[in-house]
C-alpha cells in the first residue's frame, strides 16, 4: 500500500452533544489538558495529586482520606472497586433497574462472586423496604447499586439505604457516574462505603478518569487483600491475610500506596487526565456544588417542559427522573433513527436512543455539564421540533421553544 504524501490533521466535526453522555467538554477543561507533562514524582506533580484528592472530597461531599483517581474510563472505577472488594465466593446483592445494574452484576460475577439480583421494571426505582428484605434473605458482603441509570433516566433514592447496610454489616457501593453533580449525592451522610464516577457527564469533562471515594471501613477490608509486587517489595511490606486481588492494575491497596505518602510505584499516572479531573472539580467548586446541581435541575426541567409542549410522552416515573436526562417515547408516526440522523447531519446535534427493551422506543436527551445551559436547551428543542415535523410528525408545532422560554422566565421572576 503506498504511503500517502500528506496526512490530514485530526479535525472532528462540530457537534452539540445532547444525549446521555458523553457531552461537550468545558473549554477550560480542554485547556487544562493541554498543559505540559511533568514527572510523576516531581513535587509539583504529587502536590497536584494531593490537591485533586481534596477537590474531590468536596465533589463527593465526604471527608474520606482515600478519594483518588483511577486511570481509565468510569468502568475502570467500577472494576477497581468491585475486583478489590470481592473475594471468590462472596455474596453480592445487585438491585437492577436498568442496563448498568446488569453491568455491575456481570463485573461481580467475573470477580467470582455469588451474585444475587433483584429487579424492578425499567422506568421504576426501588423502595428501601425491597432492599432490606433482599439483604435479610441473601446476607451479602456487598450491596452494589447504580444511582442514576441513563438507560432508563431514573435516579434511585439512596438516603435510607446506607443505614440499612450498616445495621446488617453490609458494605455499600454506588456507581454514580451519570448522576453526580447533576443530582444530590451525600457520600458521608448517606453512609456510602465506596462511590465511583466518571467525568464525561455532569462534571463536564471527557471520559478517561474515574474518581472514587472509599470509606475507612471499605479501606480496612480491601487492605486485608494487599499484595505488593516482588520488584518493589521491601522487608517493611506485609501482605494481607485474605486472598489477593485478582487484578494488578485495579488493585486498590496498591493504588492507594501510590497516591499516599509512600508514593510506591504502581503505574505511570495519566498526567493529562489528572489535570483534566482537577479542573473539572475546580470549576464545580468555584460555581458551588449545590449551585451546579441546581443548574442541572433548572435546565433539565426546561428541557422536560419543552418536550412535553411538543406533545411527546415522557418515559418512566417522572418524580424519580434524573435532573440531567429525560427519556421520551418516539412517536409511532415517525422513524426515530431518521429524526436522530437528521438532527446530527443537518444541525450537528446529537441525542440518544436506549438499550435492551427500550432500544428504538425512546430518545434520551441530556442536559449535562457544560451543555446544561439555556442556549443548548433551546437549540436542541428547536432542532427536535423541526426534524420531527420534517419526518411526518403531526403533533404541536413551534411550541417547544416558547414553552421552555416561558419556563425560564417564570424561574427568574
Amino acid at each position: 500500500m503506498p504511503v500517502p504524501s500528506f496526512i490530514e490533521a485530526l479535525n472532528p466535526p462540530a457537534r452539540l452533544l445532547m444525549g446521555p453522555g458523553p457531552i461537550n467538554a468545558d473549554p477550560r477543561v480542554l485547556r487544562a489538558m493541554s498543559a505540559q507533562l511533568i514527572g510523576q514524582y516531581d513535587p509539583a506533580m504529587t502536590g497536584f495529586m494531593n490537591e485533586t484528592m481534596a477537590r474531590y472530597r468536596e465533589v463527593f461531599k465526604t471527608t474520606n482520606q482515600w478519594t483518588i483517581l483511577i486511570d481509565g474510563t468510569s468502568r475502570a472505577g467500577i472494576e477497581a472497586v468491585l475486583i478489590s472488594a470481592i473475594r471468590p465466593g462472596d455474596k453480592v446483592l445487585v438491585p437492577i433497574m436498568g442496563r448498568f445494574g446488569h453491568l455491575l452484576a456481570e463485573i461481580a460475577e467475573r470477580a467470582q462472586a455469588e451474585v444475587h439480583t433483584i429487579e424492578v421494571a425499567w422506568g421504576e426505582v426501588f423502595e428501601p423496604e425491597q432492599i432490606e428484605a433482599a439483604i435479610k434473605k441473601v446476607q451479602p458482603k456487598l450491596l452494589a447499586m447504580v444511582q442514576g441509570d441513563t438507560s432508563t433516566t431514573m435516579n434511585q433514592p439512596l438516603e435510607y439505604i446506607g443505614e440499612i447496610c450498616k445495621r446488617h454489616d453490609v458494605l455499600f457501593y454506588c456507581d454514580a457516574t451519570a448522576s453526580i453533580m447533576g443530582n444530590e449525592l451525600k457520600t458521608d451522610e448517606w453512609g456510602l462505603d465506596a462511590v465511583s464516577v466518571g467525568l464525561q457527564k455532569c462534571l463536564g469533562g471527557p471520559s478517561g478518569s474515574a474518581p472514587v471515594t472509599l470509606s475507612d471501613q471499605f479501606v480496612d477490608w480491601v487492605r486485608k487483600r494487599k499484595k505488593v509486587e516482588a520488584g518493589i517489595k521491601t522487608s517493611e511490606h506485609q501482605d494481607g491475610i485474605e486472598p489477593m486481588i485478582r487484578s494488578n492494575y485495579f488493585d486498590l491497596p496498591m493504588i492507594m500506596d501510590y497516591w499516599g505518602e509512600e508514593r510506591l510505584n504502581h503505574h505511570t499516572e495519566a498526567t493529562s487526565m489528572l489535570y483534566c479531573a482537577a479542573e473539572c472539580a475546580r470549576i464545580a467548586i468555584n460555581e458551588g456544588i449545590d449551585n451546579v446541581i441546581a443548574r442541572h435541575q433548572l435546565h433539565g426541567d426546561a428541557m422536560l417542559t419543552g418536550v412535553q409542549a411538543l406533545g411527546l410522552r415522557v418515559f418512566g416515573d417522572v418524580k424519580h427522573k434524573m435532573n440531567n436526562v429525560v427519556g421520551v417515547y418516539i412517536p409511532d408516526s415517525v422513524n426515530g433513527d431518521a429524526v436522530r440522523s437528521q438532527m446530527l447531519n443537518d444541525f450537528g446535534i446529537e441525542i440518544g436512543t436506549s438499550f435492551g427493551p427500550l432500544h428504538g422506543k425512546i430518545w434520551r436527551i441530556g442536559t449535562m455539564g457544560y451543555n446544561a445551559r439555556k442556549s443548548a436547551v433551546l437549540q436542541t428543542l428547536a432542532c427536535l421540533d423541526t426534524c420531527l415535523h420534517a419526518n411526518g410528525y403531526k403533533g404541536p408545532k413551534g411550541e417547544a421553544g416558547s414553552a421552555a422560554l416561558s419556563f425560564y422566565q417564570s424561574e427568574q421572576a
Side-chain angles (χ1 to χ4, degrees):
M1 181 179 293
V3 177
S5 58
F6 181 77
I7 300 174
E8 295 285 347
L10 183 66
N11 186 29
R15 301 288 193 229
L16 178 59
L17 303 180
M18 297 298 286
I23 48 79
N24 301 89
D26 190 301
R28 292 169 290 182
V29 173
L30 297 178
R31 287 196 293 269
M33 292 179 71
S34 69
Q36 186 55 270
L37 305 182
I38 54 178
Q40 62 180 332
Y41 298 114
D42 187 309
M45 180 63 171
T46 54
F48 291 155
M49 294 171 74
N50 289 340
E51 176 61 25
T52 302
M53 294 171 76
R55 293 179 188 182
Y56 274 92
R57 291 187 191 107
E58 295 195 46
V59 168
F60 283 113
K61 295 191 174 182
T62 185
T63 59
N64 288 339
Q65 176 187 359
W66 295 109
T67 302
I68 59 179
L69 304 180
I70 306 299
D71 290 342
T73 65
S74 51
R75 192 169 300 201
I78 297 171
E79 291 229 17
V81 170
L82 293 180
I83 201 75
S84 296
I86 297 170
R87 302 167 305 181
D90 276 347
K91 293 181 180 180
V92 175
L93 176 62
V94 184
I96 297 173
M97 62 174 191
R99 176 200 167 179
F100 295 101
H102 286 291
L103 173 64
L104 298 189
E106 179 181 319
I107 294 173
E109 185 177 356
R110 287 173 180 264
Q112 298 185 300
E114 178 185 317
V115 180
H116 297 259
T117 62
I118 55 174
E119 296 190 42
V120 292
W122 288 31
E124 298 178 8
V125 298
F126 290 93
E127 296 294 333
E129 295 78 14
Q130 294 173 280
I131 305 296
E132 183 162 24
I135 286 175
K136 288 179 177 179
K137 179 180 178 180
V138 174
Q139 298 182 353
K141 175 68 183 180
L142 178 76
L143 174 72
M145 293 187 74
V146 175
Q147 184 188 29
D149 195 314
T150 52
S151 68
T152 67
T153 74
M154 294 296 104
N155 189 52
Q156 171 64 49
L158 300 176
E159 52 265 40
Y160 302 110
I161 309 299
E163 186 274 330
I164 293 170
C165 289
K166 292 292 183 291
R167 279 195 283 111
H168 295 281
D169 194 25
V170 176
L171 292 172
F172 183 15
Y173 160 65
C174 173
D175 167 21
T177 298
S179 49
I180 194 163
M181 300 307 299
N183 309 267
E184 190 71 81
L185 179 74
K186 299 179 179 180
T187 298
D188 290 355
E189 185 176 324
W190 293 351
L192 298 165
D193 288 299
V195 185
S196 69
V197 302
L199 306 181
Q200 72 273 20
K201 298 184 188 283
C202 299
L203 276 161
S207 181
S209 183
V212 302
T213 188
L214 313 171
S215 73
D216 290 344
Q217 182 181 5
F218 187 91
V219 169
D220 289 344
W221 170 244
V222 297
R223 287 255 193 231
K224 293 178 181 178
R225 306 185 67 196
K226 181 175 179 176
K227 180 176 175 59
V228 179
E229 297 171 22
I232 56 176
K233 187 174 182 179
T234 71
S235 59
E236 296 180 359
H237 294 127
Q238 297 294 319
D239 288 342
I241 60 174
E242 295 286 349
M244 73 175 178
I245 293 162
R246 310 284 286 203
S247 169
N248 177 289
Y249 188 72
F250 293 132
D251 185 312
L252 281 178
M254 290 186 67
I255 296 171
M256 286 186 285
D257 284 344
Y258 178 63
W259 279 78
E261 292 184 5
E262 187 176 5
R263 303 291 174 188
L264 187 65
N265 185 267
H266 176 255
H267 64 284
T268 301
E269 182 59 25
T271 307
S272 296
M273 288 308 303
L274 174 76
Y275 297 161
C276 166
E279 183 67 0
C280 287
R282 185 194 71 83
I283 292 168
I285 291 166
N286 283 352
E287 182 177 349
I289 302 300
D290 291 337
N291 292 336
V292 177
I293 296 168
R295 172 166 57 84
H296 281 87
Q297 182 171 0
L298 172 68
H299 298 297
D301 286 349
M303 183 67 78
L304 175 64
T305 299
V307 296
Q308 288 176 325
L310 272 171
L312 299 177
R313 187 160 59 98
V314 177
F315 172 77
D317 182 357
V318 175
K319 69 176 180 291
H320 288 123
K321 185 188 78 66
M322 297 163 67
N323 290 329
N324 50 298
V325 61
V326 61
V328 294
Y329 284 100
I330 300 169
D332 293 336
S333 59
V334 302
N335 181 312
D337 288 340
V339 171
R340 289 178 61 230
S341 179
Q342 185 175 31
M343 289 182 69
L344 183 68
N345 295 324
D346 289 348
F347 294 87
I349 298 178
E350 179 180 279
I351 63 171
T353 181
S354 191
F355 309 103
L358 296 179
H359 180 73
K361 295 183 179 180
I362 69 169
W363 291 312
R364 295 177 298 155
I365 306 173
T367 47
M368 302 189 190
Y370 181 66
N371 293 346
R373 63 184 196 272
K374 183 191 291 188
S375 61
V377 170
L378 296 178
Q379 282 179 258
T380 303
L381 288 170
C383 174
L384 179 61
D385 191 337
T386 299
C387 293
L388 271 170
H389 288 90
N391 284 273
Y393 181 59
K394 302 302 182 184
K397 185 175 184 179
E399 301 292 331
S402 59
L405 273 174
S406 295
F407 172 82
Y408 281 124
Q409 290 166 356
S410 69
E411 290 296 303
Q412 293 170 351

